[in-house]
Amino acid sequence: MLFLATLGFAVNFWAWALLSPLGPRFKDILALDSFQQSLLVAVPVVVGSVGRIPVGALTDRFGGRVMFPLVSAATVVPVLYLGLSGHSSLWGLLVGGFFLGIGGTSFAVGVPFTNAWFPPERRGLAIGLFGVGMGGTAVSALTTVRLVDAHGMANPFLITAAVLLAYAVLSFALLRDAPGRTVPAEPLLRRLAATARLGVTWEASALYAVTFGGYVAFSVYLPTYLRTGYGLTQADAANRMAGFVLLAVAMRPVGGWLSDRVGPVRVLAGSLAVVVAGAAVQSATPPLMPVGTIAFLAMAAALGAGSGATFALVALLSPGNMVGSVTGVVGAAGGLGGFVPPLVMGGIYGASGSYAVGLLLLALVAASALAFTLTRVRRAMAGTRSAAAAGAG
C-alpha cells in the first residue's frame, strides 16, 4: 500500500510540475515578462495547495481507496487540454494550469492513507518514504524539455495523461484502506472547524510553509534563476534543478527516520539553520562552481529533511481521525509557501536586476521559523510527552 501510494503521489506530482521546465520557452514564444512567467508556474502550485484542504478532509471520510483514483483521473483532463491546445496562449496556459493544480492535492490523500497503515513509532519513516513521491517533479524536469524538442509540444502532456489514467485504473483495482481506519461522522465544515482549533495545525503549517514551500519555490523557479543569473542553457538549468529535487526527495525519508529517533524538533532546527546559512551565502551570487552549487545542494538536503520532520510532527500530535484534515491545511500552507517566492523573486528581479534581496528574505524567514521551532514547537512536544507520561501512570 505504501508503494502504491508513493507511486500515485509521484505520477500526480509529475503532472503538477509539467509547466515549470517549459517556463523559459513559453516566455520566449509568447513574449512574457518576468512576472507573467512567474505567475504561469505559480498558478498550479496555489490551486494544488488550497485544494488540499477539502481533499484532505474528504480523504478522512472516504479513504485513499476512493480519492487516489478520483484525483488521478481528474488530472488527466487539464493535462490533455494543455498538450492539445492550451499551450498556445497565456490565458490558455493559466486556465490549464489552474486545473492542473488538482494533481497537487494528491499529497493530502497519501499522508492520511499511509499514516493509518503504520504504528506511531514508524510513521515518521513511512510518511517520509511516501514523500519520495515528490520526485515526480524531477521526472518532469528531466523529460519534459527533451520530449518537446524531440517530438513537439504535445508529447510530454500526452504521455503524462496516459500514465495518470493507467494509475487511476491500477489504484482503483489494488488500493485498500487500512483495517480499522477511523471514519469521522461529523459534516465536512464541522471537521474543518475542529481542525482549525488544533495547535498542531498552525504550528506545522508555519514550518511546512518554509520547508516544503522553499522546496516548491526552488523546483519551479530554479531553471529561470539559473538561466537569468548564471546564463545557463535551458537544458542545463533543468538538469541542475532535477539534481536539487532528487537530493531533497532523498532527504525527506531521512528527516522522517531521524525524527522517529531524536525527535522532529531537533531535525527541524538543524534543517532551518542550514537554510539560513545557504540562502545568506547565495544572496551574494557567488560563482556557481563550487560555492553556489554547494549552497543550493545544502538547502535542498535541509528542505527535504525539514519537510519529512514536519509530517513526523503531524503524525505525533494529530488525532487519528483528523490526520487527513490536518494534512490538508498543512499541505496547503506548504504549497502557498511555494507560491509566493517565485512571484517575489520575479518582481524583485524585474525592479532591481538582482535576486539578492529575495534570497536574504528567505534567510530571514528561515531564521524566524528556527526561533519558532525552538520555542513554541518545543513546548508543544514537551506537553505531549508529559500528557503521555501521565496517561501511562
Side-chain angles (χ1 to χ4, degrees), residues 5-21 103-104 106 129-144 156 160 163-164 212 215 219-220 238 241-242 244-250 252:
T6 304
L7 178 64
F9 184 28
V11 169
N12 278 277
F13 256 43
W14 174 12
W16 193 39
L18 279 170
L19 293 181
S20 174
S106 59
L129 288 170
F130 165 76
V132 169
M134 70 186 189
T137 56
V139 176
S140 178
L142 289 170
T143 62
T144 302
T160 307
V163 175
L164 278 167
F212 185 72
Y215 160 79
S219 69
V220 300
M241 185 270 273
F244 180 98
V245 167
L246 288 172
L247 180 56
V249 167
R252 185 158 182 153

Side-chain angles (χ1 to χ4, degrees), residues 266-284:
R266 290 180 180 177
V267 179
L268 280 162
S271 299
L272 291 166
V274 171
V275 174
V276 172
V281 168
Q282 191 57 36
S283 67

Side-chain angles (χ1 to χ4, degrees), residues 56-62 112 181-184 191 321-325:
L58 288 170
T59 302
D60 278 341
R61 178 66 180 84
F62 297 107
R181 182 179 74 90
T182 305
V183 180
R191 280 187 283 128
N321 64 343
M322 296 180 68
V323 173
S325 299

